Amino acid sequence: MPNDPQWTNVAVVGAGTIGLSWAALFAAHGRVVRITDPREDLEQLVADAIPSLSAGIPDSDPEDLRSRVRPVHDLAEAVADADLVQENGPERLESKQDLFAEIARLAPDEAVLASSSSGIVASEIAAKLSEQDASRVLIAHPFNPPHVVPLVEIVPGERTAEPVITRAIEFYRTLGKTPVREHKEVSGFVANRLQSALMQEAISLVLDGVVSADELDTVMKSSLGGRYATVGPFESFHLGGGPGGIRHMMQHLGHGMARRWGDLGHPALTSGAIEEIAGQTESAYGSGPEAYRARSQRRDRKHLALRAALHDESAR
């Protein structure tokens, strides 16, 4: 594989929300991007998406991004000279296995093959690949949207080569991402497992009538959201314990917290439950393409402002 983590040619396979966001971010950092998808309207899809994506990338120019992102309908053409392939296909194991076998056959022998999978581990994706091809497969899971949210979870498979992991981490860091290498493969990785745990209790509280969907969002934004954006759960508890730190916190509140774990909700996502949650959320925030565009742009502006503030504070 290339020794330089500043890989210049990137193939994006799959032009859904995540794939388009990755393409814009790669292009904004000077990479030449070929994006492929079976959709017949791929060219128009890319043209329509770039301006709004550019708005979420500071100092980027829509025309410049568009000039660097080339839609192609042929997978072989997309990956032909790629240093990195970023796959964003459906979350189905068999589909990913078949797709990676095809990508490995068509891409350069030294290209790194990364999946944006939100839950399927690299060892399963690469299970049918040769030793050589499996050595260059890893998970590079972003949090949505990749061009705004800095996290990328780097999760190697059982056969992923160490130099591939190291150089991938270096590459994503050049994009302004915050790569975190995970040391064990678990379904859903870390961020989505945390999100799933939180959503389980959030849905339970709403269905039980404790708060409405928008009130729960307000609780989160006005407490844990801001706290965890500045310090994580463990540092938060460490500070919450005063000079005694997390040891004091656990001794003082740990037993009560553990008892509460047994009382957390386990809601069943029946059709009625989904209708209740969706109805409350749509009532609070709107639905449809126009509401989506407006709220997603507002979300991105807020997130960028938060990132800038945290960056400024860290630089002090």
Side-chain angles (χ1 to χ4, degrees), residues 63-115:
E63 292 301 319
D64 179 60
L65 296 193
R66 184 66 187 85
S67 69
R68 293 180 180 276
V69 179
R70 180 185 171 193
V72 296
H73 292 275
D74 182 55
L75 178 63
E77 182 181 359
V79 305
D81 59 355
D83 299 311
L84 171 79
V85 178
Q86 187 82 41
E87 175 270 336
N88 313 274
E91 283 290 290
R92 296 191 296 271
L93 176 57
E94 188 172 322
S95 296
K96 286 194 184 294
Q97 288 177 336
D98 292 343
L99 180 55
F100 269 79
E102 190 72 356
I103 291 171
R105 183 178 68 84
L106 296 170
D109 290 341
E110 295 185 340
V112 173
L113 311 182
S115 175

Coordinates of all heavy atoms in Angstrom, one line a residue, residues 63-115:
E63 N -18.3 25.0 -6.0 CA -17.8 24.7 -7.4 C -16.5 23.9 -7.3 O -16.3 23.0 -8.2 CB -17.6 26.0 -8.2 CG -18.8 26.7 -8.5 CD -19.8 25.9 -9.3 OE1 -19.3 25.2 -10.3 OE2 -21.0 25.9 -9.1
D64 N -15.6 24.2 -6.4 CA -14.4 23.5 -6.3 C -14.7 22.0 -5.9 O -14.1 21.1 -6.4 CB -13.5 24.1 -5.2 CG -12.2 23.4 -5.0 OD1 -11.4 23.2 -6.0 OD2 -11.9 22.9 -3.9
L65 N -15.6 21.9 -4.9 CA -15.9 20.5 -4.5 C -16.5 19.7 -5.7 O -16.2 18.6 -5.9 CB -17.0 20.5 -3.4 CG -16.6 21.1 -2.0 CD1 -17.6 20.8 -0.9 CD2 -15.2 20.7 -1.6
R66 N -17.4 20.4 -6.4 CA -18.1 19.7 -7.5 C -17.1 19.3 -8.6 O -17.2 18.2 -9.2 CB -19.1 20.6 -8.1 CG -19.9 20.0 -9.2 CD -20.8 18.8 -8.7 NE -21.4 18.1 -9.7 CZ -20.9 17.1 -10.4 NH1 -19.7 16.7 -10.1 NH2 -21.5 16.5 -11.4
S67 N -16.0 20.1 -8.8 CA -15.0 19.7 -9.8 C -14.2 18.5 -9.4 O -13.6 17.9 -10.2 CB -14.1 20.9 -10.0 OG -13.3 21.2 -8.9
R68 N -14.1 18.2 -8.1 CA -13.3 17.1 -7.6 C -14.1 15.8 -7.4 O -13.5 14.8 -7.2 CB -12.7 17.5 -6.2 CG -11.7 18.6 -6.4 CD -11.1 18.9 -5.0 NE -10.1 20.0 -5.1 CZ -8.8 19.8 -5.4 NH1 -8.4 18.6 -5.6 NH2 -8.0 20.8 -5.4
V69 N -15.4 15.9 -7.5 CA -16.3 14.7 -7.3 C -16.8 14.3 -8.6 O -17.6 15.0 -9.2 CB -17.4 15.0 -6.3 CG1 -18.3 13.8 -6.1 CG2 -16.8 15.5 -4.9
R70 N -16.4 13.1 -9.1 CA -16.8 12.6 -10.4 C -17.7 11.4 -10.2 O -17.3 10.4 -9.7 CB -15.6 12.2 -11.2 CG -16.0 11.7 -12.6 CD -14.7 11.2 -13.3 NE -15.1 10.5 -14.6 CZ -14.3 9.8 -15.3 NH1 -13.0 9.7 -14.9 NH2 -14.7 9.2 -16.4
P71 N -19.0 11.6 -10.6 CA -19.9 10.4 -10.5 C -19.6 9.4 -11.7 O -19.5 9.9 -12.8 CB -21.3 11.1 -10.7 CG -21.1 12.5 -10.6 CD -19.7 12.8 -11.0
V72 N -19.5 8.2 -11.4 CA -19.3 7.1 -12.4 C -20.3 6.0 -12.1 O -20.5 5.6 -10.9 CB -17.9 6.6 -12.5 CG1 -16.9 7.8 -12.9 CG2 -17.4 6.1 -11.1
H73 N -20.8 5.3 -13.1 CA -21.7 4.3 -12.9 C -21.1 2.9 -12.9 O -21.7 1.9 -12.5 CB -22.8 4.3 -14.0 CG -23.7 5.5 -13.9 ND1 -24.8 5.5 -13.1 CD2 -23.6 6.7 -14.5 CE1 -25.4 6.7 -13.3 NE2 -24.7 7.4 -14.1
D74 N -19.8 2.8 -13.2 CA -19.1 1.5 -13.3 C -18.2 1.4 -12.1 O -17.3 2.2 -11.9 CB -18.3 1.5 -14.6 CG -17.6 0.1 -14.7 OD1 -18.3 -0.9 -14.7 OD2 -16.4 0.2 -14.9
L75 N -18.4 0.3 -11.3 CA -17.5 0.1 -10.1 C -16.1 0.0 -10.5 O -15.2 0.6 -9.8 CB -18.0 -1.1 -9.4 CG -17.2 -1.5 -8.1 CD1 -17.3 -0.4 -7.0 CD2 -17.7 -2.9 -7.6
A76 N -15.8 -0.7 -11.5 CA -14.4 -0.9 -11.9 C -13.7 0.5 -12.2 O -12.6 0.7 -11.8 CB -14.3 -1.8 -13.2
E77 N -14.4 1.4 -12.9 CA -13.9 2.7 -13.2 C -13.7 3.5 -11.9 O -12.7 4.2 -11.7 CB -14.8 3.4 -14.1 CG -14.3 4.8 -14.5 CD -15.2 5.6 -15.5 OE1 -16.3 5.0 -15.8 OE2 -14.9 6.7 -15.8
A78 N -14.6 3.3 -11.0 CA -14.6 4.1 -9.7 C -13.3 3.8 -8.9 O -12.7 4.6 -8.3 CB -15.8 3.9 -8.9
V79 N -13.0 2.5 -8.8 CA -11.9 2.0 -7.9 C -10.6 1.8 -8.6 O -9.6 1.4 -8.0 CB -12.4 0.8 -7.2 CG1 -13.7 1.0 -6.4 CG2 -12.5 -0.5 -8.1
A80 N -10.5 2.1 -9.9 CA -9.4 1.6 -10.7 C -8.0 2.1 -10.2 O -7.1 1.4 -10.1 CB -9.6 2.1 -12.1
D81 N -8.0 3.4 -9.7 CA -6.7 3.9 -9.3 C -6.8 4.5 -7.8 O -6.1 5.4 -7.4 CB -6.2 5.0 -10.2 CG -7.2 6.2 -10.3 OD1 -8.3 6.1 -9.7 OD2 -6.8 7.2 -11.0
A82 N -7.7 3.9 -7.1 CA -8.0 4.4 -5.7 C -6.9 4.0 -4.7 O -6.4 2.9 -4.7 CB -9.3 3.9 -5.2
D83 N -6.5 5.0 -3.9 CA -5.7 4.7 -2.7 C -6.5 4.2 -1.6 O -6.1 3.4 -0.8 CB -4.9 6.0 -2.3 CG -4.0 6.5 -3.3 OD1 -3.3 5.8 -3.9 OD2 -4.1 7.8 -3.6
L84 N -7.7 4.7 -1.5 CA -8.7 4.3 -0.5 C -10.1 4.1 -1.1 O -10.5 4.9 -1.9 CB -8.8 5.3 0.6 CG -9.9 5.1 1.7 CD1 -9.5 4.1 2.7 CD2 -10.3 6.4 2.4
V85 N -10.7 3.0 -0.7 CA -12.1 2.8 -1.1 C -13.0 2.9 0.1 O -12.7 2.2 1.1 CB -12.4 1.5 -1.8 CG1 -13.9 1.3 -2.1 CG2 -11.5 1.3 -3.0
Q86 N -13.9 3.9 0.1 CA -14.9 4.0 1.3 C -16.2 3.5 0.9 O -16.9 4.1 0.1 CB -14.9 5.5 1.6 CG -15.7 5.8 2.9 CD -14.9 5.6 4.2 OE1 -13.7 6.0 4.2 NE2 -15.5 5.0 5.2
E87 N -16.6 2.4 1.4 CA -17.8 1.7 1.1 C -19.0 2.1 2.0 O -18.8 2.2 3.2 CB -17.6 0.2 1.2 CG -18.9 -0.6 0.9 CD -19.7 -0.9 2.2 OE1 -19.1 -0.9 3.3 OE2 -20.9 -1.2 2.1
N88 N -20.1 2.4 1.4 CA -21.3 2.9 2.1 C -22.6 2.2 1.7 O -23.6 2.8 1.5 CB -21.5 4.4 1.9 CG -20.2 5.1 2.1 OD1 -19.8 5.5 3.2 ND2 -19.4 5.4 1.0
G89 N -22.5 0.9 1.5 CA -23.6 0.1 1.0 C -24.6 -0.3 2.0 O -24.4 0.0 3.2
P90 N -25.6 -1.1 1.6 CA -26.6 -1.5 2.6 C -26.0 -2.3 3.7 O -25.0 -3.0 3.6 CB -27.6 -2.4 1.7 CG -27.3 -1.9 0.3 CD -25.9 -1.5 0.3
E91 N -26.7 -2.3 4.9 CA -26.2 -3.0 6.1 C -26.7 -4.4 6.1 O -27.5 -4.9 6.9 CB -26.7 -2.3 7.4 CG -25.9 -1.0 7.7 CD -24.5 -1.3 8.2 OE1 -24.4 -1.8 9.3 OE2 -23.6 -1.0 7.4
R92 N -26.2 -5.2 5.1 CA -26.5 -6.6 5.0 C -25.2 -7.3 4.8 O -24.5 -7.0 3.8 CB -27.5 -6.8 3.8 CG -28.9 -6.2 4.0 CD -29.9 -6.7 3.0 NE -29.5 -6.4 1.6 CZ -29.9 -5.2 1.0 NH1 -30.6 -4.4 1.7 NH2 -29.5 -5.0 -0.2
L93 N -24.9 -8.3 5.6 CA -23.6 -9.0 5.6 C -23.3 -9.6 4.2 O -22.3 -9.4 3.7 CB -23.6 -10.0 6.7 CG -22.3 -10.9 6.7 CD1 -21.1 -10.0 6.9 CD2 -22.3 -11.9 7.8
E94 N -24.3 -10.4 3.7 CA -24.0 -11.0 2.4 C -23.7 -10.0 1.3 O -22.8 -10.2 0.5 CB -25.2 -11.9 2.1 CG -24.9 -12.8 0.9 CD -26.0 -13.8 0.6 OE1 -26.5 -14.4 1.6 OE2 -26.3 -14.1 -0.6
S95 N -24.5 -8.9 1.3 CA -24.3 -7.9 0.3 C -22.9 -7.3 0.4 O -22.2 -7.1 -0.6 CB -25.3 -6.8 0.4 OG -26.6 -7.3 0.2
K96 N -22.4 -7.0 1.7 CA -21.1 -6.4 1.9 C -20.0 -7.4 1.5 O -19.0 -7.0 0.9 CB -21.0 -6.0 3.3 CG -21.7 -4.7 3.6 CD -21.3 -4.1 4.9 CE -22.1 -2.8 5.3 NZ -21.9 -1.7 4.4
Q97 N -20.2 -8.7 1.8 CA -19.2 -9.7 1.5 C -19.0 -9.8 0.0 O -17.9 -9.8 -0.6 CB -19.6 -11.0 2.0 CG -19.4 -11.1 3.5 CD -19.9 -12.5 4.1 OE1 -20.7 -13.2 3.5 NE2 -19.3 -12.9 5.2
D98 N -20.1 -9.8 -0.8 CA -20.1 -9.8 -2.2 C -19.5 -8.6 -2.8 O -18.6 -8.6 -3.7 CB -21.5 -10.0 -2.8 CG -22.0 -11.4 -2.5 OD1 -21.3 -12.3 -2.1 OD2 -23.3 -11.6 -2.6
L99 N -19.8 -7.4 -2.2 CA -19.3 -6.2 -2.8 C -17.8 -6.0 -2.5 O -17.1 -5.6 -3.4 CB -20.1 -5.0 -2.1 CG -19.7 -3.6 -2.5 CD1 -19.8 -3.4 -4.0 CD2 -20.5 -2.5 -1.8
F100 N -17.4 -6.4 -1.3 CA -15.9 -6.3 -1.0 C -15.1 -7.3 -1.9 O -14.0 -7.0 -2.2 CB -15.7 -6.5 0.5 CG -15.7 -5.2 1.2 CD1 -16.9 -4.6 1.5 CD2 -14.5 -4.5 1.5 CE1 -16.9 -3.3 2.2 CE2 -14.5 -3.3 2.2 CZ -15.7 -2.7 2.5
A101 N -15.7 -8.4 -2.2 CA -15.0 -9.4 -3.1 C -14.8 -8.7 -4.4 O -13.7 -8.9 -5.0 CB -15.8 -10.7 -3.2
E102 N -15.8 -8.0 -4.9 CA -15.7 -7.4 -6.2 C -14.8 -6.2 -6.1 O -13.9 -6.0 -7.0 CB -17.1 -6.9 -6.6 CG -17.2 -6.4 -8.1 CD -17.1 -7.5 -9.1 OE1 -16.9 -8.7 -8.7 OE2 -17.3 -7.2 -10.3
I103 N -14.8 -5.4 -5.1 CA -13.9 -4.3 -4.9 C -12.5 -4.7 -4.9 O -11.6 -4.2 -5.5 CB -14.3 -3.5 -3.7 CG1 -15.6 -2.7 -3.9 CG2 -13.2 -2.4 -3.4 CD1 -16.1 -2.1 -2.6
A104 N -12.2 -5.8 -4.1 CA -10.9 -6.3 -3.9 C -10.3 -6.8 -5.3 O -9.1 -6.7 -5.6 CB -10.8 -7.4 -2.9
R105 N -11.2 -7.3 -6.1 CA -10.8 -7.8 -7.4 C -10.4 -6.7 -8.4 O -9.5 -6.8 -9.2 CB -11.9 -8.7 -8.0 CG -11.5 -9.3 -9.4 CD -12.7 -10.2 -9.9 NE -13.8 -9.5 -10.2 CZ -14.0 -8.9 -11.4 NH1 -13.1 -8.9 -12.3 NH2 -15.1 -8.2 -11.7
L106 N -11.2 -5.6 -8.3 CA -11.0 -4.5 -9.2 C -10.1 -3.4 -8.8 O -9.5 -2.7 -9.6 CB -12.4 -3.9 -9.5 CG -13.5 -4.8 -10.1 CD1 -14.9 -4.1 -10.0 CD2 -13.1 -5.1 -11.5
A107 N -9.9 -3.2 -7.5 CA -9.1 -2.1 -7.0 C -7.6 -2.4 -7.1 O -7.3 -3.6 -7.1 CB -9.5 -1.7 -5.6
P108 N -6.7 -1.5 -7.0 CA -5.3 -1.8 -7.0 C -5.0 -2.7 -5.8 O -5.7 -2.6 -4.7 CB -4.6 -0.4 -6.8 CG -5.6 0.6 -7.4 CD -7.0 0.0 -7.1
D109 N -4.0 -3.5 -5.9 CA -3.7 -4.5 -4.9 C -3.3 -3.8 -3.5 O -3.5 -4.5 -2.5 CB -2.5 -5.3 -5.3 CG -2.8 -6.3 -6.4 OD1 -4.1 -6.5 -6.7 OD2 -1.9 -6.7 -7.1
E110 N -2.9 -2.6 -3.5 CA -2.5 -2.0 -2.3 C -3.5 -1.0 -1.8 O -3.3 -0.3 -0.8 CB -1.1 -1.3 -2.5 CG 0.0 -2.3 -2.8 CD 1.4 -1.6 -2.8 OE1 1.4 -0.4 -3.0 OE2 2.4 -2.3 -2.6
A111 N -4.6 -0.8 -2.4 CA -5.7 0.1 -2.0 C -6.2 -0.4 -0.6 O -6.5 -1.6 -0.4 CB -6.8 0.2 -3.0
V112 N -6.5 0.6 0.3 CA -7.1 0.3 1.6 C -8.6 0.2 1.3 O -9.2 1.1 0.7 CB -6.7 1.3 2.6 CG1 -7.6 1.1 3.9 CG2 -5.3 1.2 2.9
L113 N -9.3 -0.8 1.9 CA -10.7 -1.0 1.7 C -11.4 -0.8 3.0 O -11.3 -1.6 4.0 CB -11.0 -2.4 1.2 CG -10.1 -2.9 0.0 CD1 -10.5 -4.3 -0.4 CD2 -10.2 -1.9 -1.2
A114 N -12.1 0.3 3.1 CA -12.8 0.7 4.4 C -14.3 0.7 4.2 O -14.8 1.0 3.2 CB -12.3 2.1 4.8
S115 N -14.9 0.3 5.3 CA -16.4 0.2 5.3 C -16.9 1.2 6.3 O -16.4 1.4 7.4 CB -16.9 -1.2 5.6 OG -18.3 -1.1 5.7

